[in-house]
Amino acid sequence: MKKIITILSMLCLLQLTACAQWYLFPGKKKRTEPVEEKKEVKEAKPQAPPQTTQAADSTEIVDDTDFLFGTPSTIGVSLILPVNASSAKPSAGFLEMYGGALLALRDLGNAGTRINLRFVDSASEDISDESIYSESDVTIGPVAFADIEKALLHCSGKMLISPLEPKSAVLAENGENVIQAPTPWTFQVDGIVDWLQSELEFGDEVIVLKDNSNPGDQATYLLERLQKKGVLFRSAQNAEELRKPELKGKYRVLIASDDDSFISNSIKQLGIAATINRNIVLYTTSRVRNSISPDVLDLYNANARLTASYYIDYDSEDVKKFVLAYRALYGCEPGSFAFQGYDAMNYFVRMYSEYGRRWWKRLPEHPWRGLQSDFRFSRETADGKVNTAVRRIVYGNDLSMTLVK
C-alpha cells in the first residue's frame, strides 16, 4: 500500500500542462538491467537537441512545410512494453523502464510540453490495434523483434522506436519504419578500432589475442575492420609473452573471440602481465561484461579502453537528480532499464516537439547525450534509422573510471 501511494504521488507532481493517460502496476521490483551494461561514468547535462550542427542531408529531402505551422498543442505518445501486469509477477525490468519514462514526461510537462500518453501492455493487449499508432506522434516499442514485425503491419507508415532489441537494426537497415535506439555491437567494434588508431605511436605493437577454435561473428568483424583500416597487428593465442618489460613502446592488445571463457582467461592473463609490464593497453567492447566474471581489477591493471552503448556516471549532477526523484517516487533505486526509459522518452519527444510531423528526418542533424546512452544517427539511409553512438570509458591503474568526452 505504501508503494502504491508513493507511485501515485507522481501524478500530483505533473503540472496541468502535462496531460497523460497511463496504468501503474505496483509491486516489489528486482534490480534487473539490460544485457549491455550496469553502472557507469561521466556525461554532460541533458538538454534540448541543438538547433544546428551539420549540413542538410543530401540523401533526404525534408519538406519544411512540416515545421512552418508549429506542432500540435498536445503530443500523442504510445509506450508499448511487455509489463505483463495481469500476472502474479509483472516484469520488474519493464516496470522500471515505465517508471523512467514517466519521469521524463514529468520533466517535459514541467517545461511546458503537453503530452497524452497511451500505455500498451504488449504481454496481454493486442498490438495490432491501428489506433495505437494512428493517434500517436511518437511510438516507443514494442520490445520483442517479433512484436516489432507485427506492429509494422498496422502502423500505417508511422515510425516505431525500438528501445531495447538490438536485432531490430536489421529492419531499420532494410528500410522499414524503425528507429533503432540501442547501438548495435558493430559500432562498438568500429569505435574501438578508431580509438586504437588514434592512440598508436611510433614503437607500439598491436597484438590480437585470437581464438582459433571459435572466433565468432564479433571476432571476425573485428579482424576485418583492422585489416580494412590498415592496422598492422600480430596474432597470439595468449598473453604470456607480454610478461616482459623490455618493449620501448606499448603493447596495444585486442581480443578476437566470442567465447566467454577465452575472453575471461585472456583478461586474467593480461591483468597478471600488466603487473610486470606497465606498457600494456587493452582495447575491448562491453562484450567483456557478459563474459564469465572477469576480475574487474584486471581491467584496471591492463589500462582498458572500453566502448559501450550504455554507461552511467553516478557522480553526474543530472544523474543524481534523476536517482533522487526516482527513489522519492517509487521507493527503490533505478537500474539501467529506468535510465533507458527516461533517455528514450526524453530525446524522441523533444525531437517531435522541435520539428513536428516528420521529426525523425532531423535525427542525423541532432546528436544528443542522455543520462545513460547517447544518440547519433547516420545519414546513409532515408527510411529506418540506426543509432551509431558509443561511449568511451578508460580504466586507470589508480582504479579510476573516466568517460572520454
Side-chain angles (χ1 to χ4, degrees):
M1 178 61 70
K2 180 178 179 182
K3 183 163 288 185
I4 296 175
I5 296 173
T6 304
I7 296 176
L8 290 179
S9 67
M10 179 177 182
L11 299 180
C12 299
L13 297 178
L14 286 166
Q15 289 188 359
L16 293 178
T17 53
C19 176
Q21 302 172 17
W22 48 56
Y23 306 90
L24 297 176
F25 309 102
K28 186 175 181 181
K29 304 182 200 174
K30 302 175 185 175
R31 287 298 305 278
T32 56
E33 303 192 0
V35 176
E36 262 290 333
E37 289 278 84
K38 291 188 180 179
K39 310 175 172 178
E40 316 132 282
V41 212
K42 255 171 186 174
E43 63 248 51
K45 182 176 181 180
Q47 55 187 2
Q51 294 298 310
T52 58
T53 50
Q54 303 176 15
D57 185 353
S58 60
T59 64
E60 297 180 5
I61 299 176
V62 180
D63 183 359
D64 287 337
T65 59
D66 289 339
F67 315 106
L68 288 177
F69 304 104
T71 57
S73 59
T74 300
I75 299 174
V77 177
S78 290
L79 178 60
I80 309 171
L81 299 175
V83 172
N84 200 19
S86 59
S87 70
K89 293 183 178 180
S91 169
F94 292 117
L95 275 172
E96 195 175 78
M97 189 171 184
Y98 180 42
L102 291 184
L103 274 176
L105 292 179
R106 185 196 68 171
D107 291 347
L108 291 165
N110 287 341
T113 304
R114 294 177 60 88
I115 299 164
N116 182 29
L117 174 68
R118 177 173 181 175
F119 178 74
V120 179
D121 186 350
S122 57
S124 58
E125 298 181 54
D126 183 12
I127 62 171
S128 62
D129 181 354
E130 293 190 3
S131 68
I132 296 173
Y133 316 102
S134 62
E135 298 173 4
S136 175
D137 300 306
V138 178
T139 302
I140 299 178
V143 171
F145 184 84
D147 285 345
I148 294 173
E149 287 189 308
K150 181 179 180 181
L152 284 170
L153 300 175
H154 305 280
C155 67
S156 302
K158 292 289 187 75
M159 299 299 292
L160 301 181
I161 300 164
S162 171
L164 290 173
E165 176 55 74
K167 294 179 182 178
S168 61
V170 174
L171 298 174
E173 291 166 352
N174 288 339
E176 299 286 355
N177 296 333
V178 174
I179 299 172
Q180 171 67 20
T183 305
W185 61 262
T186 52
F187 292 102
Q188 290 189 43
V189 174
D190 292 342
I192 210 64
V193 172
D194 291 341
W195 198 355
L196 166 68
Q197 276 193 304
S198 69
E199 294 190 332
L200 267 177
E201 297 178 352
F202 180 78
D204 293 350
E205 184 174 4
V206 179
I207 297 178
V208 176
L209 302 181
K210 188 176 178 182
D211 181 3
N212 294 320
S213 62
N214 183 28
D217 292 339
Q218 295 191 32
T220 301
Y221 184 77
L222 170 63
L223 295 172
E224 289 175 353
R225 294 303 297 172
L226 288 170
Q227 293 170 354
K228 186 173 182 178
K229 289 281 188 175
V231 178
L232 299 178
F233 63 89
R234 178 166 59 86
S235 298
Q237 290 188 314
N238 57 64
E240 292 183 3
E241 66 177 82
L242 303 183
R243 299 181 189 180
K244 47 188 179 182
E246 65 269 16
L247 185 71
K248 292 182 180 179
K250 293 183 181 295
Y251 288 111
R252 301 193 182 272
V253 184
L254 303 102
I255 302 174
S257 176
D258 286 14
D259 182 72
D260 286 335
S261 60
F262 185 91
I263 295 172
S264 182
N265 290 334
S266 296
I267 292 173
K268 185 174 292 295
Q269 290 176 10
L270 286 170
I272 295 172
T275 61
I276 302 171
N277 182 356
R278 291 295 181 183
N279 291 327
I280 292 175
V281 181
L282 170 65
Y283 294 83
T284 185
T285 69
S286 59
R287 175 74 176 80
V288 300
R289 292 180 174 273
N290 302 329
S291 64
I292 303 173
S293 302
D295 189 341
V296 176
L297 185 60
D298 291 328
L299 293 176
Y300 291 104
N301 288 336
N303 300 296
R305 270 71 168 146
L306 183 142
T307 55
S309 299
Y310 306 120
Y311 201 76
I312 305 167
D313 173 17
Y314 284 93
D315 292 324
S316 162
E317 290 302 317
D318 292 295
V319 169
K320 288 178 181 178
K321 281 195 278 187
F322 175 80
V323 170
L324 290 174
Y326 192 95
R327 185 186 299 160
L329 288 169
Y330 305 122
C332 58
E333 299 298 309
S336 288
F337 275 105
F339 282 94
Q340 186 70 357
Y342 183 90
D343 284 345
M345 184 66 74
N346 201 3
Y347 175 58
F348 293 113
V349 173
R350 283 177 184 271
M351 285 299 297
Y352 182 87
S353 177
E354 288 287 332
Y355 298 110
R357 183 168 62 90
R358 301 178 72 183
W359 58 272
W360 57 274
K361 287 186 173 291
R362 299 288 182 146
L363 291 176
E365 301 170 31
H366 300 286
W368 190 73
R369 173 157 287 195
L371 299 179
Q372 173 179 259
S373 53
D374 301 331
F375 298 96
R376 182 179 297 108
F377 292 89
S378 172
R379 296 170 171 275
E380 295 178 359
T381 58
D383 295 311
K385 297 294 181 185
V386 178
N387 189 8
T388 65
V390 295
R391 294 191 166 189
R392 293 181 174 186
I393 302 96
V394 174
Y395 288 75
N397 283 327
D398 58 355
L399 301 184
S400 65
M401 297 175 69
T402 307
L403 177 66
V404 180
K405 302 288 183 160

